[in-house]
Each structure stands twice: as structure tokens, then as C-alpha cells.
Amino acid sequence: MQMPTASHERSLDSGAVKSRPVPDHVPPEMVRDFNLFTSPGMLPTANGDPHAAVACVHAGPPIFYSTSNTRDGRGTWVITRASDQRRVLQDTETFSSHRSIFASVLGESWPMIPLELDPPFHGVFRSLLNPLLSPKRVMALEPAVRERAIKLIDRIAASGTSCDIMKDFAVPFAVNIFLRFIGLSDNGLETFVGWARDLLHGDKEQRPPAARTIVAFIDELATERRKEPVDDFMTFIVKAKVEGRLLSDEEVRGIGVLVFVAGLDTVSAAICFDLAHLARNPKDQELLRSEPDRIAV
Ligand code: HEM
């Protein structure tokens, strides 16, 4: 979401907050020293608990201004209460979603679709994509998903008493299923995960080449599927129509990049956060073992 920014900026010097440019319209008392990427607990090297690190904002005001809260060091407003977040997300007239987060790494401004579109186009593209992600379609994957999980767990069990859960389970489990879902070969798994790692967790030297590589890959895949259609996600996108017309190259890219990046890091990270919680909280492990119905399916 974007907030209005003033063209003139001033510096703020106050005890806890380092001197950084603050837009003129931001009252000094609303500035807090919080950064989503570098606050204690958020750094991978700290082996911390990022959820707890973020949860600390609940103890503070409902809204504050962080002077450096993006990877490239820009300031943002931080809204800490779910009810206010919902109000902001629903007020698309005031708060646009057109941020071009990915494209801006390349100095460009096309949106990832549908994420960075505002109504009415957000709804138009969601209607196009919703059938692909319907519960029925996802449930159809269940036998293959279970088989993959069992195979990986059996392999871990056979190899000894411990494992690297990210490397030995979460990535080969989640990314394999995701690649199968969008119709890409598992052979590229390591390469694709490496691109996503550089893009999402790399430094400012690593991000632009990773973004360029992903865009080139998606553009090339779209060209291939236009020439030789198969039964997969990208073929669906290049053949799809909105409002009676085929999608533009930029729209195909905007969808392809979002969906590609969305599945390479998110689910494996979520699995590991869940398992880290259980490892740190043996009582919750016991609860799930004694009451397995609590595990939602
Ligand atoms: C546990 C795993 C996942 C988490 C935690 C997650 C999280 C999120 C979040 C927070 C957003 C909103 C981002 C924002 O507003 O800036 C989002 C949007 C989205 N995600 Fe995910 N995601 C996950 C997995 C996936 C997967 C596997 C896919 C693709 C198959 C996917 C596709 C999308 C799409 C298409 C949107 C845009 C929705 C819209 O704008 O209407 N996500 N996701």
C-alpha cells in the first residue's frame, strides 16, 4: 500500500530514533525505531524468532512511522492492529496496491498481478486465476502430496536421528509440489530456489541479477508455451482472455513472476516456522500427539 509522501523531507534527531529523512507530513511523535528487516530477532544470523520480533509492535501505538522499513531503506507507516489493517486494505481509493516491488528492483514499474492491482482490475484477474487455485483443484493434489511427504520422512528416518529440516524436508517437499502444480520440472528445483533466495534474502548486489534472471525465465517460458502449448499453468495464462482480449506480454509476466516467486519460499518457510515452534514447545507436540484432530486438514 502507498501512503502520500511529501516532496520535502526533514531530519529527525531524537534519542532512540537515528537521524534519517522523515517526510514533512509525519509528526515527530509518530516516529518509531522499528525495521522489519533488521530489528533484533529478524536477522537469520540471530537464529531468532521473527514472529516474536514483529509481535513487539502490538505493545506500541496502533500506527507509527518507521524511517527505514523496506529493503532499500525507505520509510513506511506501520499499522499494528488487524482491524485498522483491514480498513486500510479495503480503502483502495486512498491506499493503492500498485507498488511494483519486484519491478522496482529493475528500475521498472509493472505490477505483479493480481497482488499489485487496484479494483476493478484486481477482481478481473482474480476471477481469471481463482479456478486454478480452487479447493477442488488443490485437494486433487492430496494423494501425490502425501506420497511425497511419506517418501521424504522415510528417507530421513532411515538415515539417522536428526536432519536439516529445511534442506531435507521443507524445500524438497513444498517446492516439488509447487513446481508440479505449475507444470515445471523438478530438475530446476535447486536453481529456482537459489534465484528466490538471492531475490528475497540477498543483498542489494544480488537482487537485481536474480530479478532479471526470473523475468527472463518467465518471458522465455511464455514464448515457448505460445509456440507449443501444453497442459500447464503458463499455457493457461498465455491463452487466457480478460475482457475479451488476450493478456499483454507485461500482464503475462506480472502473473508469471508473482506465482513463480510465491511458491518457492513461502510454504517451505512456513513449515519450518511451525516445526521450530513445536521443537521449542514440547507441550504443544504432546497436545497434537494426544489430540490429532486438532491438526486441520
Ligand atoms: C504459507 C505459504 C504462503 C504464505 C504465508 C503467503 C502469503 C501471502 C501474503 C501475505 C500475501 C499478500 C501480500 C501483500 O498483500 O503484500 C499473498 C498474496 C498472494 N499469494 Fe501467497 N502465500 C503463500 C503461498 C502461496 C502460494 C503457494 C501461491 C501460489 C500457488 C501464492 C499465491 C499468491 C497470490 C496469487 C497472491 C495475490 C493475491 C491477490 O492479490 O488477490 N501464495 N500471499
Side-chain angles (χ1 to χ4, degrees), residues 99 114-115 122 126 133 178 181 258-259 262-263 266-267 270:
R99 297 163 294 178
L115 183 67
H122 180 264
R126 274 302 297 252
L133 302 162
F178 172 70
F181 175 69
L258 172 63
V259 171
T266 46
V267 183

Side-chain angles (χ1 to χ4, degrees), residues 85-96 118-119:
Q85 291 168 0
R86 195 167 295 115
R87 269 176 54 201
V88 166
L89 287 167
Q90 287 174 346
D91 181 0
T92 54
E93 291 270 314
T94 313
F95 304 100
S96 171
D118 291 324

Side-chain angles (χ1 to χ4, degrees), residues 98-111 116 211-212 215 219 250 253:
H98 194 144
R99 297 163 294 178
S100 297
I101 288 180
F102 184 100
S104 66
V105 175
L106 301 170
E108 298 171 7
S109 64
W110 43 270
E116 295 179 328
R212 252 188 301 279
V215 166
D219 285 355
E250 193 174 276
R253 174 190 289 178

Side-chain angles (χ1 to χ4, degrees), residues 13-84:
D13 271 312
S14 81
V17 182
K18 292 197 185 76
S19 178
R20 292 195 190 113
V22 178
D24 275 345
H25 67 271
V26 177
E29 68 277 12
M30 293 188 82
V31 178
R32 290 283 180 286
D33 189 12
F34 170 83
N35 179 312
L36 186 58
F37 297 99
T38 59
S39 290
M42 296 303 287
L43 296 172
T45 46
N47 195 21
D49 179 349
H51 297 100
V54 171
C56 71
V57 300
H58 294 146
I63 177 165
F64 63 87
Y65 187 84
S66 157
T67 51
S68 169
N69 199 33
T70 64
R71 283 187 191 283
D72 54 5
R74 280 173 295 133
T76 70
W77 289 99
V78 180
I79 294 156
T80 63
R81 307 294 192 269
S83 54
D84 295 332

Side-chain angles (χ1 to χ4, degrees), residues 5-12 20-25 65 74-75:
T5 48
S7 50
H8 302 292
E9 292 181 329
R10 63 184 149 70
S11 281
L12 183 108
R20 292 195 190 113
V22 178
D24 275 345
H25 67 271
Y65 187 84
R74 280 173 295 133

